[in-house]
């Protein structure tokens, strides 16, 4: 019978429109419009206390102008840009550069004057990652034997020129250290969430515990 | 065909056309509104993946396979790493095999959902059914994100296993998905399968007979819709498929509706497979230690898997070095599209898009 399929389809559409848990979610990005209730919930108070404390924001929220920055939740293994790189961990071995399928990591080192047992045999002059060509496959992170390089969790690098997408040593050093837990079980084991805004210290990013001075002497010094 | 003779008109569909799923050109000769000839012109998305593979190490090539059939990266990964494992004689731990099968089946569901959604889109049901399908696909992509941090270009499998074990949050998410999904599939089906418009536009349209399909070495849902019971998971079981209990749905006629129906039924079978895998998955390692630069002995190997589109195989020739001497991909989309002319001739212009959509090709794989 003609028309039956139409009615059936409309029923399903209505069901999906109205039933909680089935509704399609529209997500506004990066700024989400928010009402008074939502704002109060963010602050952890009730709307009345909030409106007394923040009359201006309340007014804004009432006329629908208030918005908060919002991102979709990401899983902690998300492979994103803004690599987290720890210069303190990096030995300049260039495994990452060798392993990258596109060859977009450039490393220049020179032998250092300092003692070898301080772990400073090579000094890094250049450490560039050309993010404009990177495909975020993560093979470089997989290859790094010293856990110095980690994937990041961002995805919103917009630049006017391709040259600005080359992240150099300075930028890598200055960037907040919010490594993705992808292929880093030691960070995942700490329950770290790159979205939380916390940072991981270079001493905690490795899979090995640094041997103590005595240990080093016992194991390696008298060989 | 009409009695009235008219001047044949050649029409170019594509390379950029909203209904052509990527950059694909179809040169169609029309007599009035009837198709009298169709010639697919391929190569617009050619990136030379096979040649690029010759300059890369065996693990690096995994990233290339992601970009062939980008709606089913897991299956591509699986086909490629199976081939490397065969070439180099690498064993895969059992847990890794289970995880691989779970991933491959989830990917099959995601790919079939996409095929179904876009078929309906081509029928003119703009976006609504597609949204239903994409909502479910989204949940699969979310699970992939938990597993390996990416949604489309996964790079998850490695020769000798998978990269990382699934995180703790993966298993509950998978369980809810497996429990919910048949219900959603019922919903999609009640929306589509009994719909008169869908039925009148797809029943008996674009028939590909079993003889034609076998002749053109068509594989996958297209072949099964034509009534041939051929599925590599049963015919030549790889990984752990011989331990699993599932059926191969086949169609009767080989028309567009059968191709849609086979895909829906296959999704149900995939859920059955995933359920069994969740039940049986053992603990243990997920990867055998392989060096970063694998050096397989000189020789060649061909391994193939049943990807959502059909038989996907990788033929690798090694000369003992760190990268293959030659890599050839048997891409199901590419071979399936060779039957396009047989299916199109004699049909009207508006049927052309549906028939084309029901093949479910991905241009990244056709052109590589
Ligand atoms: S993520 Fe992949 S493409 Fe990007 S630098 Fe690392 S290895 Fe190269
Ligand atoms: S592989 Fe790691 S330690 Fe070696 S150069 Fe790259 S970041 Fe530094």
């Amino acid at each position: 019978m003609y028309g039956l399929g139409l009615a059936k389809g409309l029923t399903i559409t209505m069901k999906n429109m109205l039933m909680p848990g089935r509704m399609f979610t529209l997500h506004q990005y990066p700024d989400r419009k928010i009402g008074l209730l939502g704002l109060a919930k963010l602050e952890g108070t009730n709307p009345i206390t909030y409106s007394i404390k923040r009359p201006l924001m309340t007014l804004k929220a009432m006329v629908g102008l208030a918005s908060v920055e919002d991102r979709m939740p990401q899983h902690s293994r998300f492979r994103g840009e803004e690599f987290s790189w720890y210069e303190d961990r990096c030995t300049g071995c260039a495994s990452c550069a060798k392993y990258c399928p596109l060859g977009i990591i450039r490393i220049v080192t020179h032998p250092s004057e300092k003692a070898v047992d301080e772990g400073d045999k090579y000094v890094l002059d250049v450490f560039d990652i050309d993010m404009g060509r990177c495909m975020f496959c993560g093979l470089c992170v997989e290859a790094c034997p010293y856990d110095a390089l980690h994937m990041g969790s961002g995805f919103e690098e917009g630049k006017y020129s391709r040259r600005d997408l080359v992240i150099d040593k300075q930028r890598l050093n200055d960037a907040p250290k919010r490594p993705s837990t992808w292929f880093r079980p030691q960070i995942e084991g700490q329950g770290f969430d790159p979205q939380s805004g916390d940072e991981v210290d270079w001493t905690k990013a490795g899979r090995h515990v640094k041997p103590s001075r005595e240990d080093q002497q016992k194991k390696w010094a008298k060989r | 065909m009409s009695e009235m003779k008219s001047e044949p008109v050649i029409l170019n569909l594509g390379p950029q056309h909203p209904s052509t799923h990527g950059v694909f050109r179809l040169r169609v000769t029309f007599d009035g509104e009837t198709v009298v000839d169709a010639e697919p012109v391929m190569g617009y998305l050619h990136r030379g993946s096979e040649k690029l593979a010759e300059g890369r190490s065996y693990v690096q090539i995994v990233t290339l396979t992601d970009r062939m059939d980008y709606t089913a990266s897991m299956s591509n990964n699986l086909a490629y790493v199976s081939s490397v494992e065969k070439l180099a004689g690498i064993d895969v731990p059992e847990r890794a095999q289970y995880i691989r099968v779970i991933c491959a089946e989830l990917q099959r569901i995601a790919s079939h959902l996409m095929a179904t959604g876009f078929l309906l889109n081509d029928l003119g049901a703009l976006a609504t059914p597609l949204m239903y399908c994409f909502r479910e696909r989204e949940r699969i992509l979310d699970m992939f994100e938990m597993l390996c941090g990416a949604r489309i270009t996964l790079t998850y499998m490695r020769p000798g296993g998978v990269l990382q074990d699934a995180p703790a949050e993966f298993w509950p998410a998978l369980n809810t998905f497996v429990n919910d999904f048949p219900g959603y599939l019922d919903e999609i089906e009640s929306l589509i399968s009994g719909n008169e418009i869908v039925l009148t536009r797809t029943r008996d349209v674009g028939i590909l007979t079993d003889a034609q399909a076998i002749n053109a070495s068509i594989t996958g849902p297209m072949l099964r819709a034509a009534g041939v019971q051929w599925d590599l998971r049963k015919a030549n079981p790889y990984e752990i498929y011989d331990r699993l209990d599932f059926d191969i749905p086949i169609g009767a006629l080989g028309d567009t509706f059968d191709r849609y129906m086979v895909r829906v039924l296959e999704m149900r079978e995939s859920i059955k497979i995933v359920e069994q895998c969740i039940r049986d998955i053992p603990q243990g390692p997920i990867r055998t230690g392989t060096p970063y630069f694998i050096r397989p002995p000189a020789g060649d190997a061909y391994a193939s898997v049943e990807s959502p589109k059909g038989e996907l195989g990788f033929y690798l020739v090694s000369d003992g070095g760190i990268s293959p001497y030659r890599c050839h991909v048997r891409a199901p989309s590419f071979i399936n599209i060779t039957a396009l002319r047989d299916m199109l001739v004699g049909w009207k212009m508006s049927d052309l898009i549906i028939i084309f959509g029901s093949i479910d090709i991905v241009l990244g794989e056709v052109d590589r």
Side-chain angles (χ1 to χ4, degrees), chain A residues 1 12 16 22 75 77 79 99 135 139 142-143 182-183, chain B residues 60 135 147-149 153 158 163 165 187 190 196 292:
Chain A
M1 203 187 79
I12 292 170
N16 274 283
R22 291 217 160 190
H75 297 286
R77 283 186 187 176
R79 303 201 297 253
Y99 212 44
M135 55 185 175
L139 290 185
E142 195 187 333
W182 183 81
F183 203 64
Chain B
Q60 287 173 349
R135 182 181 57 187
L147 268 180
C148 60
T153 51
R158 294 285 184 277
L163 182 72
D165 207 339
E187 189 179 281
S190 61
E196 301 96 358
Y292 276 160

PDB file of all heavy atoms in Angstrom, chain A residues 1 12 16 22 75 77 79 99 135 139 142-143 182-183, chain B residues 60 135 147-149 153 158 163 165 187 190 196 292:
ATOM      1  N   MET A   1       0.833  -1.192   0.000  1.00  0.00           N
ATOM      2  CA  MET A   1       0.000   0.000   0.000  1.00  0.00           C
ATOM      3  C   MET A   1       0.872   1.246   0.000  1.00  0.00           C
ATOM      4  O   MET A   1       1.795   1.342   0.781  1.00  0.00           O
ATOM      5  CB  MET A   1      -0.898   0.005   1.235  1.00  0.00           C
ATOM      6  CG  MET A   1      -2.125   0.833   1.065  1.00  0.00           C
ATOM      7  SD  MET A   1      -3.020   0.963   2.627  1.00  0.00           S
ATOM      8  CE  MET A   1      -2.108   2.180   3.501  1.00  0.00           C
ATOM      9  N   ILE A  12       9.466   6.783  12.705  1.00  0.00           N
ATOM     10  CA  ILE A  12      10.842   6.560  13.162  1.00  0.00           C
ATOM     11  C   ILE A  12      11.561   7.891  13.345  1.00  0.00           C
ATOM     12  O   ILE A  12      12.260   8.103  14.332  1.00  0.00           O
ATOM     13  CB  ILE A  12      11.581   5.649  12.176  1.00  0.00           C
ATOM     14  CG1 ILE A  12      10.982   4.255  12.236  1.00  0.00           C
ATOM     15  CG2 ILE A  12      13.062   5.599  12.498  1.00  0.00           C
ATOM     16  CD1 ILE A  12      11.454   3.340  11.164  1.00  0.00           C
ATOM     17  N   ASN A  16      13.145   9.318  16.803  1.00  0.00           N
ATOM     18  CA  ASN A  16      14.540   9.732  16.958  1.00  0.00           C
ATOM     19  C   ASN A  16      14.661  11.181  17.364  1.00  0.00           C
ATOM     20  O   ASN A  16      15.662  11.586  17.925  1.00  0.00           O
ATOM     21  CB  ASN A  16      15.296   9.497  15.658  1.00  0.00           C
ATOM     22  CG  ASN A  16      15.811   8.101  15.572  1.00  0.00           C
ATOM     23  OD1 ASN A  16      16.790   7.766  16.193  1.00  0.00           O
ATOM     24  ND2 ASN A  16      15.126   7.262  14.824  1.00  0.00           N
ATOM     25  N   ARG A  22      18.560   8.989  21.731  1.00  0.00           N
ATOM     26  CA  ARG A  22      18.548   8.698  20.308  1.00  0.00           C
ATOM     27  C   ARG A  22      18.717   9.961  19.490  1.00  0.00           C
ATOM     28  O   ARG A  22      18.876   9.905  18.291  1.00  0.00           O
ATOM     29  CB  ARG A  22      17.212   8.073  19.918  1.00  0.00           C
ATOM     30  CG  ARG A  22      17.036   6.712  20.472  1.00  0.00           C
ATOM     31  CD  ARG A  22      16.335   5.889  19.461  1.00  0.00           C
ATOM     32  NE  ARG A  22      16.551   4.490  19.737  1.00  0.00           N
ATOM     33  CZ  ARG A  22      16.205   3.541  18.909  1.00  0.00           C
ATOM     34  NH1 ARG A  22      15.657   3.859  17.772  1.00  0.00           N
ATOM     35  NH2 ARG A  22      16.438   2.303  19.199  1.00  0.00           N
ATOM     36  N   HIS A  75      39.589  10.874  23.038  1.00  0.00           N
ATOM     37  CA  HIS A  75      40.180   9.800  23.823  1.00  0.00           C
ATOM     38  C   HIS A  75      41.654  10.119  24.025  1.00  0.00           C
ATOM     39  O   HIS A  75      42.255  10.806  23.215  1.00  0.00           O
ATOM     40  CB  HIS A  75      39.945   8.475  23.136  1.00  0.00           C
ATOM     41  CG  HIS A  75      38.490   8.167  23.046  1.00  0.00           C
ATOM     42  ND1 HIS A  75      37.775   7.768  24.140  1.00  0.00           N
ATOM     43  CD2 HIS A  75      37.606   8.298  22.044  1.00  0.00           C
ATOM     44  CE1 HIS A  75      36.507   7.646  23.801  1.00  0.00           C
ATOM     45  NE2 HIS A  75      36.374   7.953  22.528  1.00  0.00           N
ATOM     46  N   ARG A  77      44.251   8.604  23.614  1.00  0.00           N
ATOM     47  CA  ARG A  77      45.240   8.166  22.633  1.00  0.00           C
ATOM     48  C   ARG A  77      45.187   8.973  21.341  1.00  0.00           C
ATOM     49  O   ARG A  77      45.911   8.674  20.406  1.00  0.00           O
ATOM     50  CB  ARG A  77      45.010   6.698  22.287  1.00  0.00           C
ATOM     51  CG  ARG A  77      45.509   5.759  23.339  1.00  0.00           C
ATOM     52  CD  ARG A  77      45.383   4.335  22.885  1.00  0.00           C
ATOM     53  NE  ARG A  77      45.711   3.414  23.953  1.00  0.00           N
ATOM     54  CZ  ARG A  77      45.615   2.109  23.856  1.00  0.00           C
ATOM     55  NH1 ARG A  77      45.191   1.568  22.741  1.00  0.00           N
ATOM     56  NH2 ARG A  77      45.935   1.331  24.860  1.00  0.00           N
ATOM     57  N   ARG A  79      45.764  10.945  18.270  1.00  0.00           N
ATOM     58  CA  ARG A  79      47.036  11.390  17.689  1.00  0.00           C
ATOM     59  C   ARG A  79      46.822  12.741  17.033  1.00  0.00           C
ATOM     60  O   ARG A  79      46.178  12.839  16.002  1.00  0.00           O
ATOM     61  CB  ARG A  79      47.486  10.408  16.614  1.00  0.00           C
ATOM     62  CG  ARG A  79      47.640   8.993  17.046  1.00  0.00           C
ATOM     63  CD  ARG A  79      48.548   8.250  16.099  1.00  0.00           C
ATOM     64  NE  ARG A  79      48.028   8.159  14.753  1.00  0.00           N
ATOM     65  CZ  ARG A  79      47.536   7.049  14.221  1.00  0.00           C
ATOM     66  NH1 ARG A  79      47.488   5.950  14.919  1.00  0.00           N
ATOM     67  NH2 ARG A  79      47.118   7.029  12.991  1.00  0.00           N
ATOM     68  N   TYR A  99      62.646   6.844  10.721  1.00  0.00           N
ATOM     69  CA  TYR A  99      61.458   6.009  10.660  1.00  0.00           C
ATOM     70  C   TYR A  99      60.275   6.716  10.015  1.00  0.00           C
ATOM     71  O   TYR A  99      59.325   6.069   9.606  1.00  0.00           O
ATOM     72  CB  TYR A  99      61.101   5.577  12.079  1.00  0.00           C
ATOM     73  CG  TYR A  99      60.469   4.220  12.145  1.00  0.00           C
ATOM     74  CD1 TYR A  99      60.989   3.155  11.411  1.00  0.00           C
ATOM     75  CD2 TYR A  99      59.355   3.985  12.925  1.00  0.00           C
ATOM     76  CE1 TYR A  99      60.419   1.909  11.464  1.00  0.00           C
ATOM     77  CE2 TYR A  99      58.781   2.741  12.984  1.00  0.00           C
ATOM     78  CZ  TYR A  99      59.312   1.711  12.253  1.00  0.00           C
ATOM     79  OH  TYR A  99      58.739   0.477  12.306  1.00  0.00           O
ATOM     80  N   MET A 135      51.422  13.318   8.499  1.00  0.00           N
ATOM     81  CA  MET A 135      50.114  12.670   8.424  1.00  0.00           C
ATOM     82  C   MET A 135      49.716  12.064   9.760  1.00  0.00           C
ATOM     83  O   MET A 135      48.770  11.303   9.834  1.00  0.00           O
ATOM     84  CB  MET A 135      50.115  11.622   7.334  1.00  0.00           C
ATOM     85  CG  MET A 135      51.203  10.602   7.472  1.00  0.00           C
ATOM     86  SD  MET A 135      51.211   9.514   6.059  1.00  0.00           S
ATOM     87  CE  MET A 135      52.640   8.535   6.378  1.00  0.00           C
ATOM     88  N   LEU A 139      54.546   6.973  13.563  1.00  0.00           N
ATOM     89  CA  LEU A 139      55.659   6.022  13.491  1.00  0.00           C
ATOM     90  C   LEU A 139      56.911   6.577  14.160  1.00  0.00           C
ATOM     91  O   LEU A 139      57.709   5.836  14.727  1.00  0.00           O
ATOM     92  CB  LEU A 139      55.962   5.671  12.035  1.00  0.00           C
ATOM     93  CG  LEU A 139      54.921   4.828  11.321  1.00  0.00           C
ATOM     94  CD1 LEU A 139      55.399   4.451   9.943  1.00  0.00           C
ATOM     95  CD2 LEU A 139      54.605   3.579  12.091  1.00  0.00           C
ATOM     96  N   GLU A 142      56.656   5.854  17.732  1.00  0.00           N
ATOM     97  CA  GLU A 142      56.890   4.435  17.975  1.00  0.00           C
ATOM     98  C   GLU A 142      58.384   4.136  17.958  1.00  0.00           C
ATOM     99  O   GLU A 142      58.860   3.258  18.675  1.00  0.00           O
ATOM    100  CB  GLU A 142      56.167   3.649  16.882  1.00  0.00           C
ATOM    101  CG  GLU A 142      56.017   2.183  17.181  1.00  0.00           C
ATOM    102  CD  GLU A 142      55.455   1.449  15.978  1.00  0.00           C
ATOM    103  OE1 GLU A 142      54.747   2.077  15.173  1.00  0.00           O
ATOM    104  OE2 GLU A 142      55.740   0.262  15.856  1.00  0.00           O
ATOM    105  N   ALA A 143      59.111   4.865  17.140  1.00  0.00           N
ATOM    106  CA  ALA A 143      60.528   4.550  16.969  1.00  0.00           C
ATOM    107  C   ALA A 143      61.393   5.119  18.070  1.00  0.00           C
ATOM    108  O   ALA A 143      62.504   4.641  18.283  1.00  0.00           O
ATOM    109  CB  ALA A 143      61.005   5.098  15.628  1.00  0.00           C
ATOM    110  N   TRP A 182      49.084   7.719  23.238  1.00  0.00           N
ATOM    111  CA  TRP A 182      49.234   6.753  22.166  1.00  0.00           C
ATOM    112  C   TRP A 182      50.635   6.122  22.189  1.00  0.00           C
ATOM    113  O   TRP A 182      51.634   6.836  22.176  1.00  0.00           O
ATOM    114  CB  TRP A 182      48.988   7.434  20.821  1.00  0.00           C
ATOM    115  CG  TRP A 182      49.047   6.503  19.693  1.00  0.00           C
ATOM    116  CD1 TRP A 182      48.064   5.668  19.265  1.00  0.00           C
ATOM    117  CD2 TRP A 182      50.167   6.258  18.861  1.00  0.00           C
ATOM    118  NE1 TRP A 182      48.502   4.933  18.225  1.00  0.00           N
ATOM    119  CE2 TRP A 182      49.784   5.266  17.949  1.00  0.00           C
ATOM    120  CE3 TRP A 182      51.449   6.774  18.793  1.00  0.00           C
ATOM    121  CZ2 TRP A 182      50.639   4.788  16.988  1.00  0.00           C
ATOM    122  CZ3 TRP A 182      52.296   6.296  17.834  1.00  0.00           C
ATOM    123  CH2 TRP A 182      51.888   5.312  16.938  1.00  0.00           C
ATOM    124  N   PHE A 183      50.675   4.810  22.251  1.00  0.00           N
ATOM    125  CA  PHE A 183      51.919   4.033  22.309  1.00  0.00           C
ATOM    126  C   PHE A 183      52.789   4.437  23.494  1.00  0.00           C
ATOM    127  O   PHE A 183      54.004   4.291  23.477  1.00  0.00           O
ATOM    128  CB  PHE A 183      52.727   4.162  21.016  1.00  0.00           C
ATOM    129  CG  PHE A 183      53.651   3.010  20.813  1.00  0.00           C
ATOM    130  CD1 PHE A 183      53.152   1.741  20.636  1.00  0.00           C
ATOM    131  CD2 PHE A 183      55.022   3.177  20.829  1.00  0.00           C
ATOM    132  CE1 PHE A 183      53.983   0.672  20.472  1.00  0.00           C
ATOM    133  CE2 PHE A 183      55.874   2.099  20.662  1.00  0.00           C
ATOM    134  CZ  PHE A 183      55.348   0.850  20.479  1.00  0.00           C
TER     135      PHE A 183
ATOM    136  N   GLN B  60      56.466   1.093   7.184  1.00  0.00           N
ATOM    137  CA  GLN B  60      56.023   2.388   6.667  1.00  0.00           C
ATOM    138  C   GLN B  60      54.910   2.255   5.634  1.00  0.00           C
ATOM    139  O   GLN B  60      54.095   3.155   5.484  1.00  0.00           O
ATOM    140  CB  GLN B  60      57.208   3.133   6.060  1.00  0.00           C
ATOM    141  CG  GLN B  60      58.170   3.663   7.101  1.00  0.00           C
ATOM    142  CD  GLN B  60      59.418   4.251   6.486  1.00  0.00           C
ATOM    143  OE1 GLN B  60      59.665   4.086   5.311  1.00  0.00           O
ATOM    144  NE2 GLN B  60      60.195   4.923   7.301  1.00  0.00           N
ATOM    145  N   ARG B 135      25.417   8.056  12.214  1.00  0.00           N
ATOM    146  CA  ARG B 135      25.391   8.099  13.673  1.00  0.00           C
ATOM    147  C   ARG B 135      25.980   6.801  14.238  1.00  0.00           C
ATOM    148  O   ARG B 135      26.743   6.811  15.189  1.00  0.00           O
ATOM    149  CB  ARG B 135      23.952   8.274  14.154  1.00  0.00           C
ATOM    150  CG  ARG B 135      23.838   8.368  15.653  1.00  0.00           C
ATOM    151  CD  ARG B 135      22.412   8.511  16.086  1.00  0.00           C
ATOM    152  NE  ARG B 135      21.601   7.400  15.596  1.00  0.00           N
ATOM    153  CZ  ARG B 135      20.280   7.342  15.714  1.00  0.00           C
ATOM    154  NH1 ARG B 135      19.626   8.331  16.270  1.00  0.00           N
ATOM    155  NH2 ARG B 135      19.609   6.306  15.256  1.00  0.00           N
ATOM    156  N   LEU B 147      41.177   2.920  20.407  1.00  0.00           N
ATOM    157  CA  LEU B 147      42.196   1.903  20.150  1.00  0.00           C
ATOM    158  C   LEU B 147      43.506   2.510  19.709  1.00  0.00           C
ATOM    159  O   LEU B 147      44.572   2.156  20.208  1.00  0.00           O
ATOM    160  CB  LEU B 147      41.722   0.981  19.027  1.00  0.00           C
ATOM    161  CG  LEU B 147      40.971  -0.273  19.348  1.00  0.00           C
ATOM    162  CD1 LEU B 147      40.648  -0.967  18.047  1.00  0.00           C
ATOM    163  CD2 LEU B 147      41.777  -1.183  20.222  1.00  0.00           C
ATOM    164  N   CYS B 148      43.427   3.407  18.736  1.00  0.00           N
ATOM    165  CA  CYS B 148      44.678   3.804  18.102  1.00  0.00           C
ATOM    166  C   CYS B 148      44.757   5.287  17.820  1.00  0.00           C
ATOM    167  O   CYS B 148      45.626   5.731  17.106  1.00  0.00           O
ATOM    168  CB  CYS B 148      44.881   3.030  16.810  1.00  0.00           C
ATOM    169  SG  CYS B 148      43.595   3.304  15.638  1.00  0.00           S
ATOM    170  N   GLY B 149      43.867   6.074  18.382  1.00  0.00           N
ATOM    171  CA  GLY B 149      44.039   7.509  18.293  1.00  0.00           C
ATOM    172  C   GLY B 149      43.666   8.136  16.974  1.00  0.00           C
ATOM    173  O   GLY B 149      43.839   9.330  16.802  1.00  0.00           O
ATOM    174  N   THR B 153      42.518   7.198   9.135  1.00  0.00           N
ATOM    175  CA  THR B 153      43.825   6.661   8.775  1.00  0.00           C
ATOM    176  C   THR B 153      44.441   6.034  10.027  1.00  0.00           C
ATOM    177  O   THR B 153      45.154   6.685  10.768  1.00  0.00           O
ATOM    178  CB  THR B 153      44.726   7.767   8.238  1.00  0.00           C
ATOM    179  OG1 THR B 153      44.696   8.834   9.173  1.00  0.00           O
ATOM    180  CG2 THR B 153      44.277   8.252   6.911  1.00  0.00           C
ATOM    181  N   ARG B 158      50.370  -4.061  12.690  1.00  0.00           N
ATOM    182  CA  ARG B 158      51.784  -4.163  12.368  1.00  0.00           C
ATOM    183  C   ARG B 158      52.081  -5.609  12.027  1.00  0.00           C
ATOM    184  O   ARG B 158      51.424  -6.499  12.550  1.00  0.00           O
ATOM    185  CB  ARG B 158      52.630  -3.790  13.581  1.00  0.00           C
ATOM    186  CG  ARG B 158      52.537  -2.363  14.028  1.00  0.00           C
ATOM    187  CD  ARG B 158      53.307  -1.455  13.096  1.00  0.00           C
ATOM    188  NE  ARG B 158      53.283  -0.096  13.579  1.00  0.00           N
ATOM    189  CZ  ARG B 158      52.291   0.756  13.371  1.00  0.00           C
ATOM    190  NH1 ARG B 158      51.236   0.379  12.694  1.00  0.00           N
ATOM    191  NH2 ARG B 158      52.346   1.977  13.834  1.00  0.00           N
ATOM    192  N   LEU B 163      49.409  -2.862  17.138  1.00  0.00           N
ATOM    193  CA  LEU B 163      50.338  -1.946  17.783  1.00  0.00           C
ATOM    194  C   LEU B 163      50.215  -1.960  19.291  1.00  0.00           C
ATOM    195  O   LEU B 163      51.193  -2.058  20.017  1.00  0.00           O
ATOM    196  CB  LEU B 163      50.067  -0.539  17.265  1.00  0.00           C
ATOM    197  CG  LEU B 163      51.009   0.490  17.846  1.00  0.00           C
ATOM    198  CD1 LEU B 163      52.365   0.300  17.254  1.00  0.00           C
ATOM    199  CD2 LEU B 163      50.501   1.862  17.601  1.00  0.00           C
ATOM    200  N   ASP B 165      47.571  -2.911  22.840  1.00  0.00           N
ATOM    201  CA  ASP B 165      46.383  -3.588  23.318  1.00  0.00           C
ATOM    202  C   ASP B 165      45.267  -2.566  23.506  1.00  0.00           C
ATOM    203  O   ASP B 165      45.525  -1.385  23.671  1.00  0.00           O
ATOM    204  CB  ASP B 165      46.681  -4.301  24.644  1.00  0.00           C
ATOM    205  CG  ASP B 165      45.770  -5.498  24.830  1.00  0.00           C
ATOM    206  OD1 ASP B 165      44.708  -5.522  24.173  1.00  0.00           O
ATOM    207  OD2 ASP B 165      46.116  -6.392  25.607  1.00  0.00           O
ATOM    208  N   GLU B 187      15.915  -0.650  12.871  1.00  0.00           N
ATOM    209  CA  GLU B 187      15.317   0.650  12.596  1.00  0.00           C
ATOM    210  C   GLU B 187      15.624   1.097  11.173  1.00  0.00           C
ATOM    211  O   GLU B 187      14.736   1.498  10.426  1.00  0.00           O
ATOM    212  CB  GLU B 187      15.874   1.646  13.597  1.00  0.00           C
ATOM    213  CG  GLU B 187      15.193   2.975  13.556  1.00  0.00           C
ATOM    214  CD  GLU B 187      15.789   3.892  14.601  1.00  0.00           C
ATOM    215  OE1 GLU B 187      15.418   3.741  15.768  1.00  0.00           O
ATOM    216  OE2 GLU B 187      16.621   4.729  14.246  1.00  0.00           O
ATOM    217  N   SER B 190      13.624  -0.998   8.813  1.00  0.00           N
ATOM    218  CA  SER B 190      12.193  -0.687   8.715  1.00  0.00           C
ATOM    219  C   SER B 190      12.000   0.628   7.982  1.00  0.00           C
ATOM    220  O   SER B 190      10.962   0.879   7.391  1.00  0.00           O
ATOM    221  CB  SER B 190      11.555  -0.635  10.096  1.00  0.00           C
ATOM    222  OG  SER B 190      12.158   0.371  10.857  1.00  0.00           O
ATOM    223  N   GLU B 196       8.161   1.582  -0.307  1.00  0.00           N
ATOM    224  CA  GLU B 196       7.758   1.325  -1.705  1.00  0.00           C
ATOM    225  C   GLU B 196       8.664   2.039  -2.690  1.00  0.00           C
ATOM    226  O   GLU B 196       8.987   1.493  -3.743  1.00  0.00           O
ATOM    227  CB  GLU B 196       6.329   1.814  -1.964  1.00  0.00           C
ATOM    228  CG  GLU B 196       5.266   1.197  -1.113  1.00  0.00           C
ATOM    229  CD  GLU B 196       4.966   2.077   0.086  1.00  0.00           C
ATOM    230  OE1 GLU B 196       5.626   3.119   0.236  1.00  0.00           O
ATOM    231  OE2 GLU B 196       4.092   1.714   0.873  1.00  0.00           O
ATOM    232  N   TYR B 292      62.375  -3.138  13.585  1.00  0.00           N
ATOM    233  CA  TYR B 292      61.791  -2.005  12.880  1.00  0.00           C
ATOM    234  C   TYR B 292      61.920  -2.152  11.376  1.00  0.00           C
ATOM    235  O   TYR B 292      61.015  -1.868  10.631  1.00  0.00           O
ATOM    236  CB  TYR B 292      62.477  -0.716  13.315  1.00  0.00           C
ATOM    237  CG  TYR B 292      61.913  -0.145  14.574  1.00  0.00           C
ATOM    238  CD1 TYR B 292      62.632   0.761  15.335  1.00  0.00           C
ATOM    239  CD2 TYR B 292      60.637  -0.513  15.008  1.00  0.00           C
ATOM    240  CE1 TYR B 292      62.101   1.298  16.489  1.00  0.00           C
ATOM    241  CE2 TYR B 292      60.111   0.008  16.165  1.00  0.00           C
ATOM    242  CZ  TYR B 292      60.844   0.911  16.902  1.00  0.00           C
ATOM    243  OH  TYR B 292      60.322   1.434  18.036  1.00  0.00           O
TER     244      TYR B 292
END
